[in-house]
Amino acid sequence: MGKHIKGVTSIKKAVYDRIAMQDDISKAEIMNEFQMTSSSLTRLLEEMTNEGWIMESGFGQSTGGRRPILYRINANFRYIFGLDISRIYSVLGLYDMRMQPLAMVRWSMDESMTPERLVQHVQQQVEQMLSEQGIAHNLVIGMGVGAVGPLSREQGKILNPLYFAAPGWKDIPLRRWLEEATGLSVTLENGANTALTGEHWMVRDEHIQHMLYVHVGTGLRSAMMSNGHVVHGAVDMEGSIGQMIIQTDGPRLHGTGNYGALEAFASVQALEQQVRARSKMGRSVWDSQVAVKPEAINFTTLVQSLETGNDHIKEIFAQSAAYMGIGLANLINILHPEKIILGGVLINSHDLFYNTAIAVAEQNIYYSNSYRPVFSKGLLEENAVATGAAVMVWHEMDL
């Protein structure tokens, strides 16, 4: 039984989405999924071809008669920007309709990158990218933004995020500011959701319906997809996974949040805080050849020590990863995803953290003999948020 979709526009978009899922698709393959007559589908394909949304891409194999015409989406018919606003760096990408990046730029979110400065920088980069690619402004559908939360998708606001280096990141009407600066339609979503959307796009041919994304960095973020759709809660608090209690009498991170919360054990800031505390107490952390003053300790110095084989730092990372594995197991036992994507600077810092977290999670999955979810660092890695933000606009556009 094929899909039955009401409304000319929705049918058109649904057929376009189906073509995008598979390069070089025949009319017969499309017919198998939609309740349309052959003549109606022929007219629709002709209309979409004439408008420029799709294009003929050759001929398929003959099954006894004429070779069928194959179709694919026209990658250069329109374009979309995807913006990732994170605490450590931000990324802006320009994408074609097949979500291939045509240009990308990354910049540090240092003490100077206030909201106003970021909007100005994005405006400049948008103009430069379009000029260098020779793309007219009116060919851009819009800009998707994946940002650190908490935020209000409806109001287009970033509310009160923690740990930005620059001041001023509170109650920012980001969507309005970006629309006024760039002249583009802007859609705001939290970065964990757009990262998940981007990774799901990359494996769309696998038809995965239930995915979990967990970002482990300065903060902890997560997103869940069920039946192919991102799950939104009553409030948008992407960092709430960090408040999962894994030790009832445990510490708090910087004196805030829940006692014994996951973020106090498995985050960049937790690692930095733990090593600084050990150093101040005179406990052995560094090898005899290298010594770092407590105030100079940061994540970069920790990773460098880990790579040089520092056993003390290795133990601290492994313990942090084990706590992360417990947190993952808790999520998996509740949500039962088919695939778990792990991202963020801590996950990508060293194989030790990633492998340990997965091993501990797998040991604590209920029904582990019959249920084996797949773990991955994803295909997009550090570009997942920006790419997913562009995919979000792609999904929401109307033909």
Side-chain angles (χ1 to χ4, degrees), residues 153-154 193 231-237:
R153 293 179 296 114
E154 294 76 14
N193 286 345
V231 177
H232 290 100
V235 293
D236 199 312
M237 297 291 292

Side-chain angles (χ1 to χ4, degrees), residues 73-119:
I73 63 173
N74 183 356
N76 297 313
F77 183 59
R78 292 289 187 271
Y79 304 90
I80 300 172
F81 280 101
L83 174 62
D84 167 12
I85 301 177
S86 299
R87 297 178 178 94
I88 299 176
Y89 58 79
S90 288
V91 180
L92 177 69
L94 174 62
Y95 298 83
D96 65 20
M97 295 304 287
R98 297 178 69 189
M99 293 298 104
Q100 293 298 311
L102 304 177
M104 298 201 78
V105 62
R106 180 184 305 268
W107 63 91
S108 174
M109 293 294 287
D110 57 22
E111 294 85 353
S112 70
M113 196 56 65
T114 62
E116 294 83 0
R117 177 72 184 93
L118 178 131
V119 170

Side-chain angles (χ1 to χ4, degrees), residues 256-388:
T256 62
N258 290 328
Y259 287 96
L262 183 59
E263 69 171 7
F265 299 92
S267 67
V268 167
Q269 296 202 74
L271 283 170
E272 292 175 340
Q273 183 174 278
Q274 184 177 352
V275 176
R276 287 180 191 138
R278 286 194 179 193
S279 295
K280 289 178 181 178
M281 290 173 11
R283 297 175 63 183
S284 177
V285 174
W286 310 110
D287 295 332
S288 57
Q289 299 89 345
V290 180
V292 182
K293 294 181 179 180
E295 60 272 15
I297 293 171
N298 57 39
F299 188 63
T300 299
T301 61
L302 298 185
V303 173
Q304 290 172 347
S305 296
L306 183 64
E307 291 174 346
T308 58
N310 184 313
D311 289 335
H312 301 291
I313 300 299
K314 181 178 179 181
E315 178 186 353
I316 292 171
F317 266 75
Q319 186 178 53
S320 176
Y323 281 117
M324 189 68 236
I326 295 297
L328 287 173
N330 289 338
L331 288 174
I332 293 166
N333 287 332
I334 295 170
L335 301 172
H336 300 110
E338 300 166 73
K339 190 166 189 173
I340 300 100
I341 306 293
L342 301 178
V345 294
L346 194 44
I347 290 294
N348 294 311
S349 63
H350 198 279
D351 286 342
L352 169 68
F353 194 97
Y354 176 74
N355 293 334
T356 301
I358 290 175
V360 172
E362 289 179 331
Q363 291 169 5
N364 290 278
I365 295 175
Y366 200 54
Y367 293 128
S368 60
N369 292 331
S370 57
Y371 167 57
R372 306 297 294 181
V374 176
F375 290 88
S376 170
K377 289 185 180 180
L379 298 173
L380 294 169
E381 296 185 347
E382 60 186 11
N383 294 326
V385 174
T387 303

